[in-house]
């Protein structure tokens, strides 16, 4: 039974519409997430459609994570129709196709056979799944196209969308105010991918994309298959195939797993000899269709290398003492479960209004690479905000109502009086006290300046100013506001330092939210 083949224009319209939706969702993924679009469509919608995310997170957590199960739709469609997601939905694939259109108009040759190492993506997928079986989302998940493109938007583009006066910092200003730096590694990776695309169309999809490999495995027995009755062997379809799925020596032969159902072969065929029909999916190998062949030796080597690296990936290593600065967003899962469910998409980083959330580097070990960390010298966890929770596509940061934000500690601040200017310079300063949303800093009353004079004001000779005394453990929630304010005043290390001590410990705070600055605290 022949199907009317969708025209190239329809596919382009679908791709453009989905890409526009992705851009819009990225734009609205910011506090307070109250736009019309954010209220009607989940801001992490495309990530929740990703079946590789579903498989890795559910496998790592050893349970069905409900928020990821929407990807079952993509799973079923891929089994039935093949890699339609790659050719019609994937925003990175749409970007590649638009870029290829520009290159063709500039007469840059980008067509050709796939390299012999195009099976690399299958071995990467195998390594990702093996590590997930050990309960770890490896940094290799950062190669997933939707995760990668979302991270580019969150950690490369987003810093430049903040207010211009908070983008860079000068010698006269404390870096804590202006330290919105972008992720250079992510930028270099993305540039490298686009450079590779100038040499061969969709080279990332052909060789490296683990999601593409996952969908290729699912689509091996798809029922929507290519037919070439009446082929005149002009080789045009093979030349124009963006993923090299069609054999260059015999155009009638193609690889079903590598076909992304873009229908370019049908569009470009001069005699309408390329069309897609419903065929029996069994057997997968026919005279006109051949499957991907993986080398057993390479697969076994990949397994051994993954098993060897698993202890390194799973080990919570890093610089000595770095665990004290490994502060996760409020209401994050326990560290093992957090790292088993966080896919490093940095949606939370994008949503954070103050810039406290950053992507971790190697200072906390390979396992924590690209995962979100609260850096209190860069910002503070804003009262009345749970945007990171709402943006998280895997519930690594669990969903919670605002009134429960301080039910559990994210960490605990530590006060070092030998760095506080109230002690070292006998100056009145209560910026940390004013910034604390839970009144967790006890003070020793003394001299205070008259009127509105405040921070960094010297006390008269012989008098001791009102000064911080200690941080009350039961009240502190680890929001980082005290460190952020102190860092703007004190040269060198601040007197207030936020740490991961006490993470996930229940507090005695019962909060009734009245707004951003008015709350009732009951003990």
């Amino acid at each position: 039974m022949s199907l009317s083949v969708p025209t190239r224009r329809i596919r382009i319209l679908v791709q453009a519409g989905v890409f526009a939706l992705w851009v819009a969702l990225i734009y609205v993924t910011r506090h307070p997430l109250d736009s019309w679009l954010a209220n009607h469509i989940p801001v992490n919608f495309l990530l929740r459609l990703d079946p590789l995310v579903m498989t890795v997170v559910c496998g790592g957590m050893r349970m069905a994570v409900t928020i990821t199960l929407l990807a079952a739709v993509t799973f079923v469609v891929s089994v039935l129709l093949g890699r339609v997601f790659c050719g019609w939905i994937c925003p990175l694939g749409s970007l590649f196709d638009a870029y290829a259109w520009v290159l063709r108009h500039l007469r840059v040759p980008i067509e050709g056979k796939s390299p012999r190492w195009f099976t690399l993506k299958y071995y990467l997928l195998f390594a990702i799944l093996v590590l997930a079986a050990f309960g770890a989302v490896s940094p290799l998940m950062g190669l997933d196209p939707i995760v990668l493109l979302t991270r580019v938007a969150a950690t490369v583009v987003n810093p430049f969308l903040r207010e211009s006066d908070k983008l860079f910092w000068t010698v006269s200003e404390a870096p804590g105010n202006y330290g919105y730096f972008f992720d250079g590694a992510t930028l270099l990776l993305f540039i490298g991918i686009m450079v590779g695309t100038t040499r061969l169309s969709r080279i990332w999809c052909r060789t490296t994309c683990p999601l593409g490999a996952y969908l290729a495995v699912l689509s091996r027995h798809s029922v929507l298959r290519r037919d070439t009755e009446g082929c005149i062997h002009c080789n045009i379809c093979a030349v124009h195939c963006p993923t090299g799925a069609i054999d260059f020596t015999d155009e009638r032969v193609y690889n079903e797993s590598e076909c992304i159902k873009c229908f370019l072969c049908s569009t470009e065929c001069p005699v309408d000899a390329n069309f897609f029909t419903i065929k029996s999916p069994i057997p997968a190998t026919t005279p006109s269709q051949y499957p991907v062949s993986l080398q057993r030796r390479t697969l076994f080597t990949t397994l051994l290398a993954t098993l060897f690296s698993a202890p390194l990936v799973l080990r919570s290593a890093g610089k000595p003492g770095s665990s004290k600065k490994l502060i996760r967003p409020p209401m994050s899962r326990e560290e093992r479960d957090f790292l088993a469910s966080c896919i490093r998409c940095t949606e939370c980083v994008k949503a954070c209004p103050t810039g406290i959330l950053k992507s971790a580097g190697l200072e906390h070990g390979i396992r924590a690479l690209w995962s979100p960390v609260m850096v209190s010298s860069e910002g503070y966890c804003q009262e009345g905000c749970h945007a990171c929770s709402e943006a998280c596509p895997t519930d690594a940061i669990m969903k919670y109502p605002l009134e429960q934000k301080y039910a559990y500690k994210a960490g605990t601040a530590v006060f070092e009086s030998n760095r506080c200017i109230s002690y070292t310079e006998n100056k009145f300063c209560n910026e940390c006290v004013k910034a604390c949303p839970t009144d967790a800093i006890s003070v020793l009353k003394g001299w205070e300046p008259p009127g509105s004079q405040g921070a960094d004001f010297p006390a008269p000779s012989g008098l001791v100013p009102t000064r911080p005394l200690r941080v009350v453990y039961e009240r502190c929630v680890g929001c980082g506001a005290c460190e952020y304010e102190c860092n703007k005043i004190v040269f060198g290390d601040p007197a207030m330092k936020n740490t991961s001590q006490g993470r996930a410990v229940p507090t005695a705070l019962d909060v009734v939210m009245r707004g951003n600055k008015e709350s009732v605290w009951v003990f």
Side-chain angles (χ1 to χ4, degrees), residues 201-498:
S201 64
R202 283 201 180 226
I203 188 171
W204 179 263
C205 309
R206 299 190 193 204
T207 63
T208 315
C209 177
L211 176 58
Y214 186 91
L215 297 177
V217 174
L218 294 181
S219 65
R220 180 173 177 178
H221 293 278
S222 68
V223 298
L224 183 59
R225 300 193 168 210
R226 179 172 171 262
D227 205 327
T228 56
E229 184 178 349
C231 177
I232 60 174
H233 307 290
C234 63
N235 207 40
I236 292 178
C237 58
V239 170
H240 283 87
C241 181
T243 58
I246 301 175
D247 194 326
F248 268 68
T249 59
D250 187 347
E251 304 89 336
R252 295 170 299 179
V253 179
Y254 83 111
N255 190 324
E256 172 63 27
S257 295
E258 294 297 301
C259 176
I260 61 173
K261 302 299 189 294
C262 66
F263 304 113
L264 274 178
C265 54
S266 300
T267 304
E268 299 295 337
C269 182
V271 294
D272 294 330
N274 278 273
F275 53 92
F276 285 78
T277 63
I278 297 296
K279 292 185 177 181
S280 172
I282 299 173
T285 304
T286 67
S288 63
Q289 298 156 12
Y290 64 95
V292 174
S293 178
L294 300 181
Q295 298 294 325
R296 292 183 180 179
R297 180 176 298 179
T298 307
L299 196 64
F300 183 69
T301 302
T302 302
L303 175 62
L304 289 181
T306 305
L307 293 176
F308 178 78
S309 63
L312 300 177
V313 174
L314 291 171
R315 185 166 175 255
S316 298
K319 296 180 180 179
S322 66
S323 61
K324 294 180 180 179
K325 302 299 291 183
L326 186 57
I327 311 169
R328 299 302 187 185
M331 297 297 287
S332 295
R333 295 181 183 271
E334 182 273 330
E335 186 66 10
R336 182 199 173 280
D337 288 342
F338 180 83
L339 291 174
S341 54
C342 174
I343 57 172
R344 281 67 167 176
C345 66
T346 61
E347 280 275 48
C348 53
V349 176
K350 176 72 175 65
C352 180
T354 64
I356 189 174
L357 290 182
K358 304 293 181 186
S359 294
L362 293 174
E363 67 273 16
H364 302 300
I366 296 176
R367 190 182 186 191
L369 182 64
W370 285 333
S371 62
V373 179
M374 290 173 62
V375 182
S376 301
S377 60
E378 301 285 334
Y380 59 95
C381 187
Q382 182 172 305
E383 186 180 358
C385 171
H386 62 167
C388 58
S389 166
E390 292 298 301
C392 180
T394 63
D395 277 355
I397 307 172
M398 294 182 289
K399 303 292 183 286
Y400 62 91
L402 274 176
E403 57 269 20
Q404 293 182 9
K405 177 171 183 174
Y406 296 143
Y408 295 88
K409 296 165 68 71
T412 308
V414 176
F415 176 56
E416 297 182 10
S417 59
N418 62 328
R419 297 186 181 278
C420 178
I421 62 173
S422 291
Y423 291 83
T424 59
E425 301 177 31
N426 204 43
K427 292 180 176 180
F428 172 78
C429 177
N430 69 340
E431 294 303 301
C432 58
V433 178
K434 291 193 300 182
C436 181
T438 61
D439 299 326
I441 303 173
S442 62
V443 298
L444 181 64
K445 284 291 186 177
W447 175 86
E448 296 184 9
S452 59
Q453 295 170 330
D456 205 15
F457 197 84
S461 178
L463 297 180
V464 175
T466 295
R467 55 181 49 162
L469 188 60
R470 68 184 182 91
V471 176
V472 180
Y473 178 84
E474 294 78 12
R475 286 178 176 260
C476 180
V477 293
C479 69
C482 56
E483 179 178 342
Y484 176 70
E485 294 298 331
C486 187
N487 191 55
K488 294 191 290 185
I489 298 169
V490 177
F491 289 103
D493 291 335
M496 288 288 182
K497 291 185 178 180
N498 202 20

Side-chain angles (χ1 to χ4, degrees), residues 131-148:
L131 289 172
F134 281 92
V137 174
S138 73
L140 290 176
M141 266 303 290
L143 302 179
D144 180 288
I146 306 180
V147 173
L148 172 62

